[in-house]
Amino acid sequence: MGNRQEVALLTGAGSGIGRAAALELSRRGVAIAVTDLRAEAAQAVAAEIRAQGGVAVGLALDVADPVAIGAVFDRAEAELGGIDILVNSAGLLIVEPLLGLASESWHKVMAVNVTGTFLCSQRAGRGMAARGHGRIVNIASISGMRAGVGRAAYGTSKAAIIGLTRQLALELGPLGVTANAIAPGVIETPMTMGAYSEETWARVLDMVPARRRGLPADIAEAVAYLASAGAGYVNGVVLTVDGGYMAAGMTQTGALRV
Ligand code: NAP
């Protein structure tokens, strides 16, 4: 790496967790390629980073479009240099009951969450392997570790991301690249704000030992750690950042007194 400024590319970074991670990596001195489905969203976050004194470009990228991935990664590297850090945060949540789940919904979720993560990791991984250094951070979910109503496509896609992360860790580890997954709990972002009523939030908090909503900044801190030089011996893990939800069991609310 020499003294060159490190470069990160983030997908789905025009909103929520990806945006928070882009801002946090910038605060730690990394040049940022902010990509998102909507060009305006990506460019707005890039402008926010530049306003804070950081280096950033904003580019439209639909991770379900393999041709676009090649073109956008080429452009980001031409503008900022080789990509040292990839954060796969683009994600699609479709909630439909399993028996009525449309095959188009299934394929769309897999195309964005699984194939998008794979193709971006492969593209960035090639450059990282050639330079002998890299960090890949995949945003999975606790939905990839526990079943949830209506999450046959989403939960399965997140479990696949966890499996893919382990494959990346194994095959890229000898080449100087680490790949890790973060499994966020319920985080307050546009994705959940649209879907959760106040009553739902109250039920969620009853199951979360931290007794507060998760915030994009909670996940951004974890991304920054896994992307750091100091995390070089952490490879292939799933880091849950969920306020302790996954640590608890059936008796967590005190409803079962034995
Ligand atoms: P968000 O605020 O909705 O951000 C997701 C971003 O991804 C949006 O900007 C969205 O664009 C973009 N996106 C959707 N499809 C895309 C595509 N095909 N190509 C590129 N970008 C695309 O939601 P978030 O909560 O930050 O989600 C970020 C990641 O965290 C996702 O992978 C999600 O599954 C995961 N996650 C979230 C939670 C949670 O509770 N929030 C929990 C666990 C895991 P549009 O807005 O234009 O659709």
Side-chain angles (χ1 to χ4, degrees), residues 11-20 35-42 60-65 88-93 108 111-113 116-117 138-144 151 154 157-158 161 182-193 196 201 214 216 219 241:
T11 68
S15 177
I17 289 167
R19 171 181 167 274
T35 75
D36 199 273
L37 193 54
R38 289 169 294 121
E40 323 82 72
L61 174 61
D62 177 355
V63 300
D65 178 349
N88 286 302
S89 190
L92 180 62
L93 169 65
K108 187 96 219 283
V112 175
N113 297 2
T117 298
N138 294 327
I139 308 299
S141 172
I142 55 169
S143 294
R151 284 163 169 75
Y154 182 76
S157 77
K158 293 299 183 176
I161 289 175
I182 295 173
V186 181
I187 308 298
E188 191 170 10
T189 70
M191 184 181 273
T192 44
M193 292 316 281
Y196 284 34
W201 273 112
I219 309 304
V241 183

Side-chain angles (χ1 to χ4, degrees), residues 30-185:
V30 179
I32 312 290
V34 182
T35 75
D36 199 273
L37 193 54
R38 289 169 294 121
E40 323 82 72
Q43 283 157 10
V45 173
E48 204 178 340
I49 290 171
R50 288 194 298 268
Q52 294 176 9
V55 175
V57 294
L59 302 166
L61 174 61
D62 177 355
V63 300
D65 178 349
V67 177
I69 290 171
V72 170
F73 277 60
D74 284 351
R75 177 140 173 234
E77 292 192 328
E79 296 209 21
L80 300 176
I83 295 161
D84 305 291
I85 299 164
L86 171 68
V87 181
N88 286 302
S89 190
L92 180 62
L93 169 65
I94 296 179
V95 179
E96 285 176 11
L98 186 146
L99 293 181
L101 179 64
S103 69
E104 306 85 70
S105 302
W106 171 273
H107 288 300
K108 187 96 219 283
V109 168
M110 295 302 160
V112 175
N113 297 2
V114 183
T115 311
T117 298
F118 164 65
L119 290 174
C120 289
S121 300
Q122 186 186 52
R123 171 61 182 79
R126 285 179 181 141
M128 290 172 179
R131 289 186 295 277
H133 171 87
R135 298 274 182 270
I136 297 174
V137 182
N138 294 327
I139 308 299
S141 172
I142 55 169
S143 294
M145 304 160 90
R146 293 282 185 272
V149 172
R151 284 163 169 75
Y154 182 76
T156 305
S157 77
K158 293 299 183 176
I161 289 175
I162 291 169
L164 172 64
T165 303
R166 294 188 178 125
Q167 291 298 138
L168 289 164
L170 175 68
E171 294 200 31
L172 304 187
L175 306 171
V177 180
T178 68
N180 293 288
I182 295 173

